[in-house]
Every structure is written in C-alpha cells, then in structure tokens.
Amino acid sequence: MLDSTKKLLQWLSRKTFLFIACLLALFPSVIKMYETSHWFREDIVGQDVSVYDNAKDWFDNPALPFQAHFDSSKILMRVYFFIVPYIFSGLFVAIALKIPSVDLPTSVNRKIFRMKNGPGSDGKFGTLLKSISLRRTITLPQTLIKLGFPSRVSVGELIGVIVFLILNIGTMAVRVRRSLPRGSRKIMFLVDEGSAGKEPIPYLSWQAAEVWGKTLGVISILNLGWYLFMPIGRKSVLLEAVGLSWERAVKYHRWVGFYSVAIMVIHSFVYIGVWIYGKDHPDYDPDGKMIQANMNPWYCSEAECDEDQSRILRVNMYGFVTLFLVVVMTAFSLPWVRRNKFEWFYYVHHLFLLVLVFICLHYKGSIIYLIPGVAIYTIDKGMALLSYRKTAPVTTRMMSSDVLEISFKSGIGVKYQAGDWISLNVPKVSF
C-alpha cells in the first residue's frame, strides 16, 4: 500500500511539474498576441492611458530584479514576458526529470477504469476517454500523405499544430487590427502629411500592405526564435515539457522552417511592391528615388543621404542578405538534397549563424525573441560536446547477410532503458 502511494505521488508530482513547464513555455506566445493587440495598446475606455502605459510604469519600479540593468521599461517588460518564462520552464523540467519516472500502480489503474465505466455501464464513457487521449494516433488522408504529411499523428501533436497556427495567425491579425486605425503616420514609406496621416488606413491599400509587410517580418522572427530552434535540440526544454521525442519533433522543425521562409519571402516582396507603388508618387516620392534609395547598396555613395536615409538603406541591405542566406539554406534543405547529399545540407545549414547576425542588424528588436531559442540550442550543443568525452570503441560482427551487430563496453554505473539511443561516429564516412 505504501509503495503504491509513493508511486502515485511520484507520478502526480512529475506530471504536475511537466504540465506547469508546458504552460510556462506556452506563455510567451500567448502574451505576445495580447501585448501586440489593440486591447493592450489602445487607451482604456474613459481613461487617457492604456494597459501598455500602466505596464511600462509598473516595470519602471526600481525594486524589480534586473530593473537597474535596463534603460527602458519596455525592454524589461519584454524580458519578463518572453525570456523569464522559458527560464522557469527549464527549471520545472529539470525538477520533473529528477523525479523517477513510474507507471501508475495497477490498483490505481483499475480504480480509474471502474470510475470511467461505472458500475453496470457498457464501457462507452471509458471508450470515449480513451478516444480523446493525447497519445491516440490518427491516420491522415492519402491526399495529405502524398503532399509530404506523415501517415499518422497523435491527438497531442494535432492539438499542438492547431494551437501554433491560432497563435501565429492570431498575432498577425491583432497587430494589423491595431495598426490600421492609427493611420499612415506610424508606417515608414507611404506616409500622408498632416491630419491625413491620422486617418485610418483602408484595409485594401498599399499602406495596409506596408503594415502587413512589417507584421510578417515580426512573425518570421518569432517563429525563428521560439519554434524553429526549440524542436531541434535533443534536450530541448519545450520537448521535455510536452513529452515529445526529438525524432517525432524534427518534422515540425522542417514544416515551421518552410512556413517561416515563405513568410520572409512574402515580407520582402510586399516591401518591394510598396517601393514600386510609391516611386514617383507626388506625396511619397516627389524625387522619384524611392526604389534606388531602398534597393541600391551604393545609393548613399552616389547621392547625398541624411542619417535616417543611410540607416534605412543599411537595414534593407541586411534584410536582403538575410533573405539570400535563408533561400540558400532552404534549397539545400529540400528532401532530395537531404537524402542524397546530406553533408551538403548539414554544412550549408550552419549559415543560420550568419542569418541570426543579419536579422539582428536588420531589426534590433529581434534579439529579445531570439535569445530563448539560441540559448536552448547552445545548451543542447554544449551537452553534446561534453558527451563526446564519454566515448568507447565499438566492434562489429556480421550476424547474417543483412544484419550487423555493433557492440561496445559501457562504463561503470551507466544505466539505460528501452528507447535510449547513442551517437555513432564512423570517421571514414564523416568527421
């Protein structure tokens, strides 16, 4: 009885810590959608301040940890919103992993089964609960499988994809909803003068396209920092929190990657469209130099530019370099290249280091969003490098014409379970 109670407490404790870690990992995405919305930024009804103003005042409090290290309360607020939750999520995952993983005692499982079905019931309630289990798999239609989707996904994975799309599309929608009523005075290129700049932007206009262009850029950075880096770490906090293995999660890295690249490309072409539309416009470009001033790297060497014009041109060039690097990485990430020229894919993929540098140069606010993913990736790679110290030579033996046995001597005290894996290096194949 005592043993069953102990196992039940261990099981509940582990699941509770992982659940809290999962909520904390999800918090930045949810709060970002709220933080960028009109509900947060517009004035409260009957008051001359917004929730945003009140939040900045609150984060100006000198008693807050780290407040003295930041000149801007806005930046400190984003640190607490978008970085601190991931730190605590990692702590809760670490605590959960320290608790031994156990199955529910048999007696408890039987009680739960009886509760599900009830005395004298036909078992339909228990069957219903089983059918909505997060681990239950669903077979996808053949049409989707032919397009590259997996043949089966779990209910939990499906819910995760739906939540990701809701948060991604929702964040885009609320940001555009907040920006359009503020007028063209808040955009950069198609700005109306005087009171016309305060008039709401029509939904179908090139000014609205400029708003959408910036929004897509911000979303692509969020995806890079929060969703692209998270699933590629074998020791990822997010994967541990949701209980998803790296092998199952890596496909989401590919999907989010292609989706984010598409957003980046659209972001770039929308701005090119805005510059083409604005060229020679009597209000936006009376000198007829909008395209050259934004796309010609040597424009400021050939013409006089003030400090703002030089900065905008530099920012645009950093963006074009980022786009070029991302397109090259994507081309080498296509399935044919991965399967036939894996080394090409692997080494070209390390261009992401330059991508991170140029993204930060293109949009300095991206650093806040990139830190969590970069930190998790760095920790994961650091742990992998440390593990190389625990190496052992292997011996091989052909068991049959198509079966090769690989054996190695494990160290003293090494424990393993079914499903654990090791890294195997064959120097003649790859360094």
Side-chain angles (χ1 to χ4, degrees), residues 10-301:
Q10 287 178 336
W11 184 87
L12 286 173
S13 300
R14 186 182 174 94
K15 295 297 182 183
T16 300
F17 281 118
L18 287 175
F19 178 70
I20 295 173
C22 186
L23 292 180
L24 286 169
L26 190 64
F27 177 81
S29 299
V30 176
I31 199 65
K32 176 59 185 176
M33 185 166 68
Y34 176 65
E35 185 257 357
T36 198
S37 71
H38 57 285
W39 300 300
F40 188 73
R41 299 295 185 106
E42 292 180 359
D43 289 347
I44 302 170
V45 177
Q47 302 181 35
D48 199 24
V49 295
S50 63
V51 178
Y52 176 55
D53 296 325
N54 291 335
K56 285 198 298 182
D57 290 341
W58 192 85
F59 280 100
D60 235 351
N61 183 356
L64 279 177
F66 314 117
Q67 199 277 339
H69 300 284
F70 294 91
D71 297 330
S72 169
S73 59
K74 177 182 176 180
I75 295 176
L76 179 64
M77 177 178 69
R78 290 185 169 180
V79 168
Y80 274 93
F81 283 175
F82 307 137
I83 296 179
V84 172
Y86 285 116
I87 296 174
F88 278 100
S89 178
L91 291 175
F92 276 95
V93 167
I95 295 171
L97 294 180
K98 286 293 183 182
I99 301 172
S101 178
V102 296
D103 294 325
L104 275 177
T106 305
S107 58
V108 176
N109 265 321
R110 287 173 179 169
K111 289 178 181 177
I112 292 175
F113 181 77
R114 285 198 295 269
M115 287 169 56
K116 288 178 181 179
N117 292 295
S121 74
D122 57 2
K124 289 183 178 179
F125 184 59
T127 304
L128 175 63
L129 287 179
K130 183 180 178 181
S131 68
I132 61 175
S133 168
L134 294 181
R135 295 180 181 273
R136 179 176 178 266
T137 57
I138 299 172
T139 303
L140 296 182
Q142 284 296 322
T143 307
L144 293 178
I145 295 172
K146 290 178 181 179
L147 292 175
F149 287 82
S151 58
R152 299 177 71 85
V153 295
S154 69
V155 173
E157 288 176 297
L158 192 60
I159 292 173
V161 171
I162 293 172
V163 169
F164 165 75
L165 291 174
I166 290 174
L167 291 174
N168 230 235
I169 296 171
T171 302
M172 284 190 270
V174 296
R175 190 183 188 283
V176 172
R177 160 64 181 81
R178 170 177 66 89
S179 300
L180 294 182
R182 297 193 301 172
S184 62
R185 61 196 170 94
K186 293 293 186 178
I187 57 181
M188 184 173 292
F189 299 106
L190 307 182
V191 183
D192 294 316
E193 297 294 333
S195 59
K198 298 180 181 180
E199 294 294 323
I201 297 174
Y203 281 90
L204 296 176
S205 66
W206 278 104
Q207 291 174 327
E210 186 175 344
V211 172
W212 273 104
K214 183 169 184 180
T215 300
L216 291 173
V218 172
I219 291 296
S220 64
I221 293 170
L222 294 182
N223 288 346
L224 178 61
W226 294 353
Y227 304 114
L228 262 176
F229 278 109
M230 298 288 184
I232 56 175
R234 294 180 186 270
K235 299 294 183 181
S236 170
V237 171
L238 186 60
L239 297 188
E240 293 286 357
V242 300
L244 192 63
S245 69
W246 177 83
E247 291 79 8
R248 292 182 69 88
V250 72
K251 62 177 175 286
Y252 298 110
H253 170 74
R254 293 196 295 268
W255 295 353
V256 174
F258 288 127
Y259 167 69
S260 300
V261 169
I263 290 177
M264 290 181 193
V265 171
I266 295 171
H267 158 78
S268 302
F269 278 96
V270 165
Y271 268 105
I272 292 173
V274 166
W275 297 330
I276 293 173
Y277 170 79
K279 187 179 186 304
D280 296 320
H281 194 284
D283 295 329
Y284 311 135
D285 186 32
D287 298 330
K289 297 180 179 179
M290 183 174 283
I291 293 179
Q292 298 94 312
N294 288 286
M295 297 185 66
N296 181 359
W298 301 278
Y299 175 76
C300 287
S301 300

Side-chain angles (χ1 to χ4, degrees), residues 381-394:
K381 290 302 177 184
M383 293 176 67
L385 289 173
L386 288 175
S387 69
Y388 290 156
R389 299 170 60 185
K390 302 176 182 179
T391 58
V394 302

